[in-house]
Amino acid sequence: DVKVTQSSRYLVKRTGEKVFLECVQDMDHENMFWYRQDPGLGLRLIYFSYDVKMKEKGDIPEGYSVSREKKERFSLILESASTNQTSMYLCASSPATRTFYGYTFGSGTRLTVV
Amino acid sequence: AQTVTQSQPEMSVQEAETVTLSCTYDTSESDYYLFWYKQPPSRQMILVIRQEAYKQQNATENRFSVNFQKAAKSFSLKISDSQLGDAAMYFCAYRGGANSKLTFGKGITLSVRP
């Protein structure tokens, strides 16, 4: 089974801290994605990557950056955490095949910024 | 930009009954995919069903089926013989032709009454 692993299930950080959310997939998928999930807003795309060292902005990239140095790992970085970044963060991956079968998701990181 | 609308934030169904979750989307593309994902309290997003727009036949997966109305841009999910384990948040999602990004609706919380 394809597995997408997010390093932390719960995280509490202080305002102004630099925060790293890590995501690793084990099925050699080319595409990786970071979403945030908020009540009443659904899932919103922050950043995505089609290949190593490649990244593209999603719908809400402000306040975030990403890093993809290896194919299996896609990191989301909050340069200076703020309380409005308190949210659930979901990582997902998919292969770059002609037929699209959807994403495989990690189990999420619930981040609280205090 | 494509949008996905789930207008009902919550629904409730009696165990063993049938429930339909509605979803509409807006797109100018003719080639695309539609999905329903389930997110139980464990937070793990699970793919429920997938529909390719060029296929006129509605997708079915055991107790789950869709009513895909391409002209109306409607994609509803029918759950038959509802079970307590069906209680979850359900997200409708869209992916355009060559694009790998999924656009999600805001989700609907389904509760199942014993």
Side-chain angles (χ1 to χ4, degrees):
Chain A
D1 277 354
V2 176
K3 204 167 184 180
V4 178
T5 303
Q6 294 184 232
S7 54
S8 303
R9 190 160 174 82
Y10 297 95
L11 213 50
V12 180
K13 295 292 182 181
R14 293 195 179 279
T15 301
E17 274 194 79
K18 190 169 186 176
V19 181
F20 292 86
L21 302 184
E22 306 288 347
C23 176
V24 177
Q25 50 94 4
D26 65 359
M27 284 301 290
D28 204 36
H29 283 179
E30 290 78 13
N31 304 325
M32 296 188 76
F33 308 84
W34 275 107
Y35 286 82
R36 65 177 281 177
Q37 181 181 357
D38 300 289
L41 296 178
L43 278 71
R44 294 178 292 165
L45 182 63
I46 305 171
Y47 266 97
F48 60 102
S49 170
Y50 290 136
D51 203 347
V52 176
K53 296 193 185 295
M54 294 185 69
K55 60 185 179 184
E56 291 195 35
K57 293 180 180 179
D59 300 318
I60 52 163
E62 297 78 19
Y64 303 94
S65 63
V66 290
S67 172
R68 193 165 181 202
E69 296 295 320
K70 293 185 178 181
K71 192 175 185 180
E72 67 270 20
R73 184 180 297 270
F74 192 35
S75 303
L76 181 68
I77 304 158
L78 287 66
E79 295 290 342
S80 177
S82 63
T83 55
N84 63 14
Q85 294 178 309
T86 292
S87 186
M88 170 80 79
Y89 290 87
L90 290 170
C91 177
S93 72
S94 70
T97 52
R98 181 175 175 81
T99 303
F100 183 68
Y101 291 97
Y103 293 166
T104 300
F105 281 89
S107 54
T109 296
R110 188 173 295 281
L111 172 68
T112 302
V113 182
V114 298
Chain B
Q2 291 80 19
T3 57
V4 177
T5 302
Q6 295 178 253
S7 56
Q8 303 155 303
E10 296 178 349
M11 284 194 78
S12 180
V13 63
Q14 190 75 35
E15 195 175 6
E17 296 293 309
T18 295
V19 64
T20 298
L21 311 182
S22 57
C23 172
T24 59
Y25 58 95
D26 186 27
T27 184
S28 58
E29 296 178 288
S30 58
D31 179 25
Y32 52 87
Y33 297 87
L34 295 162
F35 300 84
W36 278 98
Y37 277 88
K38 172 185 176 181
Q39 187 182 44
S42 67
R43 301 182 341 207
Q44 183 68 52
M45 293 279 277
I46 302 163
L47 178 63
V48 175
I49 203 162
R50 165 183 172 272
Q51 176 82 41
E52 296 178 74
Y54 74 89
K55 290 187 177 178
Q56 294 188 349
Q57 187 173 5
N58 289 326
T60 300
E61 290 287 342
N62 301 312
R63 297 182 295 108
F64 298 88
S65 61
V66 297
N67 183 6
F68 173 47
Q69 301 288 329
K70 192 171 183 179
K73 296 179 184 174
S74 170
F75 183 62
S76 59
L77 176 70
K78 186 172 83 171
I79 306 174
S80 304
D81 185 27
S82 297
Q83 300 175 358
L84 295 177
D86 295 334
M89 180 161 272
Y90 288 81
F91 291 94
C92 180
Y94 166 98
R95 195 212 89 158
N99 198 329
S100 287
K101 298 179 290 180
L102 279 175
T103 299
F104 289 85
K106 294 182 178 181
I108 179 170
T109 300
L110 176 68
S111 58
V112 181
R113 304 186 302 274

